[in-house]
């Protein structure tokens, strides 16, 4: 069962990284019309409060995607300390999603909300509030 959960989390994080990695990414969530808006939306953000990017900003097409990829590869490994580190990363990504919802064009709201929904489910799992079976096969 644990192996299934690890693989499901890994796959979902890779999928989310792909969603945010390029202009065709939102099409994975049924939003291909967002491709022309991608460059402008993902090129820069002012930085979310409480994150390392605060005040200096960042490029969501790089930092967001790398953090999701880092979680994908971490999910394949086990260990209580690793899950605690993942919990902190997910909490940071949720702050990032809240920030991006204020900065991105409104058309990206469904993409950000889908990402935020999975992150919240995964955080609940990492906190022990959700059974691991709730993550297997979920999107």
């Amino acid at each position: 069962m644990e192996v299934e959960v690890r693989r499901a989390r890994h796959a979902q994080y890779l999928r989310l990284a792909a969603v945010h990695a390029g202009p065709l990414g939102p099409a994975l969530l049924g939003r291909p019309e967002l491709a022309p808006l991608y460059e402008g939306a993902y090129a820069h953000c002012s930085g979310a409060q409480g994150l390392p990017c605060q005040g200096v900003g960042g490029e969501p097409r790089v930092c967001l995607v790398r953090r999701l990829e880092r979680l994908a590869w971490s999910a394949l490994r086990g260990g209580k300390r690793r899950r605690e580190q993942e919990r902190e990363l997910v909490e940071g990504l949720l702050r990032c999603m809240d920030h991006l919802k204020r900065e991105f064009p409104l058309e990206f709201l469904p993409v950000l909300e889908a990402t935020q929904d999975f992150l919240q489910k995964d955080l609940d799992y990492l906190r022990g509030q959700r059974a691991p079976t709730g993550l297997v096969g979920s999107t």
Side-chain angles (χ1 to χ4, degrees):
M1 180 58 158
E2 177 66 21
V3 171
E4 287 180 34
V5 171
R6 288 180 189 178
R7 288 181 182 159
R9 291 181 67 234
H10 170 76
Q12 186 61 29
Y13 275 114
L14 284 181
R15 182 171 185 243
L16 287 175
V19 164
H20 295 283
L24 299 179
L28 293 171
L29 295 178
R31 302 302 304 257
E33 73 278 7
L34 297 178
L37 303 175
Y38 177 87
E39 284 302 318
Y42 282 82
H44 181 76
C45 83
S46 62
Q49 187 164 345
L51 295 180
C53 59
Q54 179 180 348
V56 295
E59 290 182 52
R61 65 181 168 210
V62 176
C63 58
L64 175 59
V65 173
R66 285 187 180 157
R67 292 173 84 192
L68 291 167
E69 288 172 340
R70 180 177 174 198
L71 277 164
W73 295 110
S74 180
L76 287 176
R77 302 178 140 283
K80 187 176 181 176
R81 193 171 73 204
R82 179 172 299 277
R83 296 298 173 249
E84 180 64 24
Q85 292 168 343
E86 289 173 1
R87 184 188 60 75
E88 291 173 11
L89 281 170
V90 171
E91 288 171 344
L93 279 169
L94 285 168
R95 282 194 301 277
C96 179
M97 288 296 106
D98 284 338
H99 179 74
L100 292 178
K101 285 165 78 174
R102 291 188 299 274
E103 290 211 350
F104 274 27
L106 289 176
E107 294 87 354
F108 281 92
L109 196 57
V111 174
L112 297 173
E113 286 178 343
T115 303
Q116 190 173 30
D117 182 54
F118 175 77
L119 290 171
Q120 188 59 56
K121 287 178 184 175
D122 198 43
L123 181 60
D124 292 346
Y125 162 71
L126 292 169
R127 288 179 174 165
Q129 299 169 344
R130 173 183 288 273
T133 54
L135 291 171
V136 177
S138 66
T139 55

